[in-house]
């Protein structure tokens, strides 16, 4: 009997919290954030070359792959901020 009473009370409490009107705040909620983003973000137009394949000479590519496979690749020259140009 007590559990039925407790269950009924819990159901009434939960039903009292429901509402048919959605609680979304004011209509302008978040406008300040969107305006700030619009002021600070620079729209970048799409490049005309976007999505086009990069053309690479096939002969040079095959030679580079062969040098890599044979271990004849020249290591990159590294420079630090303190190194002086000669």
């Amino acid at each position: 009997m007590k559990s039925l009473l407790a269950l009924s009370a819990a159901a009434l409490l939960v039903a009292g919290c429901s509402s048919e009107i959605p609680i979304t705040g004011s209509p302008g909620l978040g406008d300040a954030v969107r305006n700030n983003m619009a002021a600070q973000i620079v729209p970048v137009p799409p490049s005309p070359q976007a999505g086009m394949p990069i053309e690479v000479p096939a002969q040079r590519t095959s030679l580079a792959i062969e040098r890599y496979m044979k271990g004849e690749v020249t290591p990159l020259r590294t420079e630090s901020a303190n190194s002086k140009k000669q």
Side-chain angles (χ1 to χ4, degrees):
M1 183 69 178
K2 287 184 180 181
S3 62
L4 182 61
L5 184 60
L7 185 60
S8 299
L12 286 174
L13 287 173
V14 171
C17 294
S18 66
S19 173
E20 291 184 16
I21 301 171
I23 302 172
T24 58
S26 65
L29 189 65
D31 285 347
V33 174
R34 284 187 286 276
N35 288 336
N36 287 338
M37 287 173 57
Q40 296 176 15
I41 297 174
V42 178
V44 179
S47 172
Q49 291 88 15
M52 294 183 65
I54 299 172
E55 294 183 17
V56 180
Q59 187 177 11
R60 290 188 65 191
T61 304
S62 65
L63 289 173
I65 292 171
E66 286 178 26
R67 282 194 311 269
Y68 177 77
M69 296 300 275
K70 292 178 184 176
E72 299 172 354
V73 180
T74 312
L76 295 174
R77 186 181 72 201
T78 58
E79 296 181 7
S80 66
N82 297 331
S83 65
K84 296 180 181 178
K85 292 184 180 180
Q86 296 178 353

